[in-house]
């Protein structure tokens, strides 16, 4: 946590999604506790008392009149369960500094990110009205849906393990089940589950379980999602919706679309995965490669796309709104699912910590060699994109409603030219067009040193849509001409 505040950098800081300043002239500000809840429910942050934010965004120290009393009041309040439901801090999380010529005293409070089982962190003994989250520069009340999602995510038993006591086994789609079993048999010949009948097999993979209510075998939530029919799935998950969109021609809204609610196919997670995977790989170039006298048609990019698609389906909150949406565009594929990242966006990128929202779904995908159990799936995707020379993938976390978005661009990074300049290349090896180079130059000419800009401030300068502006900005960040502030919402850019 201490890496997000360095007193030597004080004059350069501004409020953002990780830092908040408060004057605290008359004691502890009431809003301090909103910010404590907001930071804890997101990625943590620092609250700095004795500082005022000026109109231009700069900070001015106002100092603290009685730092010792403020500190005591803070500890008394944070340990009062009627005010704050949980204290995440220890003595090492509060520092005091003397700043500037006036020797103003400021207090820095480091708020860690709460663990999944500790959320929601709320105040005033009111879980639905006292739970906050952080956007770019402020705290906002969480909706009831967001609070309920955090409560569901507290337990180690994921929601897909629930036994659907009233649902007969006949409600599952056995055509899908037999297709899945064939894949399992082909990939793992001689597996012990191979000899089991369908019901025993489904119980072994977590798609069915014995009910404590009647002692009979019933589908689990995972079994219904993976192998059910859409009209049965929505009885248990009213917001359930899977959507694949191909948007390859700007003159046509969709060049291809597959929806779970169409009624033309089962609409379940298993069939959606295989149908969509075949659509997203059809334009992937396969280099000629022989192993053991046989041609290998599976490239690292294929494996990365399988991982991305499975990760999206495994970590979706099927009680969340807007459903799973996979969008294929001419130069990228976007995977979006309802639900925030349970391990946090940074940990998701680093890997090494697996915490799937749907453990039983993960097991089913793992059995047919899809998905990484060790939490290395997303880092592997980034590594493949690095090896292929593509622009780095982007993980975006959106709130209200909660969504996780992974964008995989098929655009080559900027490469060195003989004159020392760089030019963005596309996946077909062609260099960026003259128009694109002119757009890069316009951005760099417009931006002044040491000033942060939002994408929408550059839209009029370029005369293009905000989506295109963001693509250009990301390319310049990858080219090390610009840097961004790392924010999810309110992302800003400045010259390096």
């Amino acid at each position: 946590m201490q890496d997000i505040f360095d007193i030597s950098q004080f004059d350069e800081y501004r409020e953002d999604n990780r830092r908040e300043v408060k004057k605290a002239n008359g004691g502890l500000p009431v809003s301090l506790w909103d910010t404590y809840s907001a930071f804890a429910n997101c990625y943590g942050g620092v609250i700095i008392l004795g500082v005022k934010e000026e109109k231009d965004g700069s900070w001015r120290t106002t100092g603290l009149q009685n730092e010792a009393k403020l500190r005591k009041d803070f500890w008394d309040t944070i340990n009062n369960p009627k005010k704050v439901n949980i204290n995440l801090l220890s003595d090492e999380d509060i520092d005091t500094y003397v700043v500037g010529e006036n020797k103003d005293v400021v207090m820095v409070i480091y708020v860690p990110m709460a663990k999944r089982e500790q959320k929601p962190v709320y105040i005033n003994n009111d879980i639905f009205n006292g739970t906050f989250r952080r956007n770019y520069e402020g705290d906002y009340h969480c909706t009831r849906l967001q609070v309920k999602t955090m409560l569901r995510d507290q337990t180690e038993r994921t929601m897909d393990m629930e036994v659907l006591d009233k649902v007969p086994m006949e409600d599952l789609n056995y055509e899908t089940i037999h297709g899945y079993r064939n894949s399992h048999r082909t990939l793992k010949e001689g597996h012990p589950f191979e000899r089991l009948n369908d019901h025993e097999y489904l119980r072994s993979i977590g798609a069915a379980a014995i009910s404590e209510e009647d002692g009979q075998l019933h589908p689990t939530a995972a079994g219904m999602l993976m192998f059910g029919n859409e009209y049965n799935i929505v009885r248990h998950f009213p917001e359930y919706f899977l959507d694949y969109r191909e948007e390859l021609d700007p003159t046509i809204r969709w060049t291809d679309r597959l929806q779970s609610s169409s009624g033309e196919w089962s609409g379940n997670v298993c069939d959606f995965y295989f149908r969509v995977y075949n659509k997203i790989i059809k334009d992937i170039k396969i280099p000629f490669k022989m192993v053991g006298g046989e041609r290998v048609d599976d490239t690292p990019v294929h494996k990365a796309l399988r991982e991305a698609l499975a990760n999206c389906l495994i970590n979706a909150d099927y009680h969340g709104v807007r459903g799973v949406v996979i969008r294929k565009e001419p130069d990228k594929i976007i995977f979006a699912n309802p639900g925030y990242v349970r391990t946090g966006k940074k940990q998701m990128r680093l890997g090494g910590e697996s915490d799937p929202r749907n453990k039983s779904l993960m097991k089913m995908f793992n059995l047919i060699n899809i998905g990484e159990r060790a939490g290395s799936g997303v880092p592997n995707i980034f590594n493949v994109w690095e090896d292929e020379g593509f622009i780095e993938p982007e993980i975006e976390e959106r709130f209200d409603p909660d969504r996780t978005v992974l964008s995989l661009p098929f655009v080559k990074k900027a490469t060195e030219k003989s004159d020392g300049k760089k030019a963005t290349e596309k996946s077909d090896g062609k260099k960026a067009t003259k128009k694109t180079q002119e757009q890069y130059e316009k951005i760099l000419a417009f931006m002044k040193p040491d000033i942060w800009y939002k994408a929408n401030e550059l839209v009029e300068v370029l005369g293009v849509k905000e989506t295109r502006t963001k693509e250009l900005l990301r390319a310049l960040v990858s080219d090390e001409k610009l840097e961004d502030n790392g924010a999810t919402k309110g992302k800003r850019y400045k010259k390096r």
Side-chain angles (χ1 to χ4, degrees), residues 184-429:
H184 189 192
R185 188 179 299 111
T186 301
L187 290 164
K188 298 183 178 178
E189 189 176 351
H191 192 281
F193 294 173
E194 193 175 303
R195 296 175 179 272
L196 302 176
N197 65 38
D198 284 343
H199 284 189
E200 291 170 336
Y201 181 82
L202 292 171
R203 185 179 180 186
S204 297
I205 68 172
I210 299 294
S211 166
E212 293 181 0
E213 230 178 70
D214 61 8
Q216 300 299 310
L217 190 68
H218 295 276
T220 60
M224 179 57 69
L225 288 165
M226 195 75 166
F227 303 122
N229 292 302
E230 187 271 347
Y231 54 83
N232 279 324
I233 297 172
V234 295
R235 292 170 57 196
H236 309 284
F237 300 93
E239 300 294 341
Y240 175 85
F241 184 63
L242 308 177
D243 189 8
Y244 169 77
R245 307 171 187 172
E246 251 178 42
E247 301 173 3
L248 304 180
D249 185 342
T251 64
I252 303 173
R253 189 177 184 187
W254 297 299
T255 50
D256 188 16
R257 193 172 188 192
L258 179 73
Q259 293 176 290
S260 57
S261 58
S262 68
E264 298 171 347
W265 58 290
S266 67
N268 59 46
V269 167
C270 184
D271 288 341
F272 181 80
Y273 171 85
F274 286 106
R275 286 172 179 247
V276 169
Y277 175 68
N278 289 327
K279 290 175 183 291
I280 63 178
I281 64 166
K282 65 184 179 183
D283 299 319
I284 304 299
K285 294 179 181 179
I286 302 174
F288 186 80
K289 183 180 179 182
M290 299 288 289
V291 175
E294 295 183 0
R295 180 171 180 179
V296 177
D297 292 333
D298 200 25
T299 70
V301 174
H302 286 80
K303 294 175 183 176
L305 290 174
R306 286 200 295 273
E307 184 64 41
L309 180 55
N311 185 74
C312 180
L313 294 167
I314 289 167
N315 288 292
D317 177 4
Y318 290 101
H319 290 289
V321 298
R322 298 188 183 175
V324 170
V325 178
I326 315 296
R327 198 164 76 246
K328 183 177 182 180
E329 298 182 1
D331 58 355
K332 63 183 171 182
I333 299 177
I334 301 166
F335 302 84
N337 62 268
Y340 60 87
V341 185
R342 278 161 59 110
T343 60
K345 187 171 73 170
K346 183 178 179 181
Q347 188 62 49
M348 176 183 176
R349 171 65 182 88
L350 291 174
E353 186 178 313
S354 179
D355 189 17
R357 179 166 273 111
N358 299 290
K359 290 181 179 177
S360 293
L361 284 183
M362 170 173 265
K363 176 182 177 180
M364 293 179 207
F365 277 111
N366 288 164
L367 284 170
I368 52 174
N369 293 347
I370 299 168
E372 291 284 347
R373 181 174 289 276
S376 59
V378 172
N380 285 344
I381 294 170
F382 276 73
N383 291 340
V384 169
W385 251 241
E386 175 69 25
D387 293 343
E388 294 291 326
F390 295 138
I391 291 174
E392 185 175 86
E394 182 179 13
I395 301 170
E396 183 182 357
E397 206 173 12
R398 300 174 186 170
F399 300 113
D400 196 21
D402 295 344
R403 287 187 78 71
T404 302
V405 183
L406 174 65
S407 299
L408 302 182
F410 290 95
V411 178
K412 290 286 187 178
K413 286 182 181 179
T415 57
E416 292 287 350
K417 294 171 68 178
S418 57
D419 60 0
K421 294 181 179 179
K422 291 183 178 180
T424 298
E425 292 186 2
K426 293 188 177 179
S427 56
D428 59 6

Side-chain angles (χ1 to χ4, degrees), residues 84-151:
V84 182
N85 75 309
I86 184 171
N87 173 18
L88 301 173
L89 276 59
S90 62
D91 289 340
E92 292 76 25
D93 293 319
I94 296 185
D95 287 330
T96 53
Y97 299 94
V98 177
V99 180
E101 296 178 359
N102 295 331
K103 306 295 183 184
D104 289 324
V105 176
V106 300
M107 182 187 296
V108 180
I109 302 167
Y110 299 89
V111 182
M113 172 183 173
K115 297 177 182 177
R116 169 173 54 80
E117 57 270 22
Q118 295 171 321
K119 295 179 182 178
V121 174
Y122 58 93
I123 63 173
N124 299 330
N125 210 23
D126 190 340
I127 192 169
F128 288 110
N129 294 312
T131 301
F132 293 80
R133 269 192 179 155
R134 186 80 174 170
N135 60 19
Y136 183 67
E137 289 181 351
D139 312 317
Y140 70 90
H141 276 101
C142 289
T143 63
R144 292 181 72 87
L145 179 63
Q146 290 174 318
V147 174
K148 287 179 178 179
T149 299
M150 288 188 242
L151 290 171

Side-chain angles (χ1 to χ4, degrees), residues 41-52:
N41 288 321
C42 284
Y43 293 113
V46 293
I47 304 169
I48 305 154
L49 304 181
V51 177
K52 177 184 179 182

Side-chain angles (χ1 to χ4, degrees), residues 17-31:
N17 65 330
R18 305 294 299 279
R19 304 178 186 93
E20 173 84 12
V21 297
K22 300 179 186 294
K23 289 190 294 184
N25 285 343
L28 292 175
V30 174
S31 63

